[in-house]
Amino acid sequence: QVQLVESGGGLAQAGGSLRLSCAASGTIFSINAMGWYRQAPGKQRELVATIEGDGYTNYVDSVKGRFTISRDNAKNTVYLQMNSLKPEDTAVYYCNVWGKTTKWAFWDTYWGQGTQVTVSS
């Protein structure tokens, strides 16, 4: 199995910055896409940003120009640098990985436990 451990959440003021990290461990043969999702109270979980194995990135419009996703393949870790934070960025942020545990296994999606990000005005 693949375990994802997130860190870096917390409280920030509007205009401030936070950096989230998510490290994948366990039985990992290969990881393709990695990403971050978030869920605010009373709202559905939404995609924030993804990064493919070739480095291609995708962002939801509301974070473009403010957030940057990156990855360290040697460490099986994905990062989310969040700048110019806004109160509407407040949510639980979840790490997501598309990977496989063995050469013959099917690709599967794995989720972290979530980390709270709170932005005060």
Side-chain angles (χ1 to χ4, degrees):
Q1 281 293 336
V2 177
Q3 293 83 42
L4 303 179
V5 178
E6 299 145 338
S7 60
L11 178 64
Q13 291 187 334
S17 299
L18 287 173
R19 188 188 192 215
L20 305 183
S21 300
C22 172
S25 63
T27 305
I28 300 172
F29 174 76
S30 181
I31 292 177
N32 191 350
M34 307 179 84
W36 291 93
Y37 290 69
R38 66 186 180 187
Q39 187 167 18
K43 295 187 177 181
Q44 290 188 333
R45 188 174 298 188
E46 68 168 352
L47 182 148
V48 177
T50 59
I51 183 167
E52 302 291 332
D54 60 3
Y56 177 82
T57 58
N58 182 51
Y59 298 91
V60 66
D61 286 346
S62 61
V63 308
K64 286 181 179 178
R66 300 189 297 121
F67 291 9
T68 302
I69 189 170
S70 60
R71 62 191 285 171
D72 184 333
N73 291 328
K75 296 181 179 179
N76 289 330
T77 299
V78 61
Y79 306 96
L80 186 68
Q81 178 66 44
M82 304 184 293
N83 299 330
S84 302
L85 284 163
K86 303 176 180 180
E88 50 264 44
D89 294 320
T90 296
V92 178
Y93 284 69
Y94 295 91
C95 173
N96 175 265
V97 164
W98 184 247
K100 57 192 309 185
T101 55
T102 70
K103 180 179 180 181
W104 302 274
F106 291 107
W107 290 96
D108 204 350
T109 186
Y110 300 91
W111 292 92
Q113 79 285 358
T115 185
Q116 177 69 46
V117 171
T118 303
V119 183
S120 62
S121 58

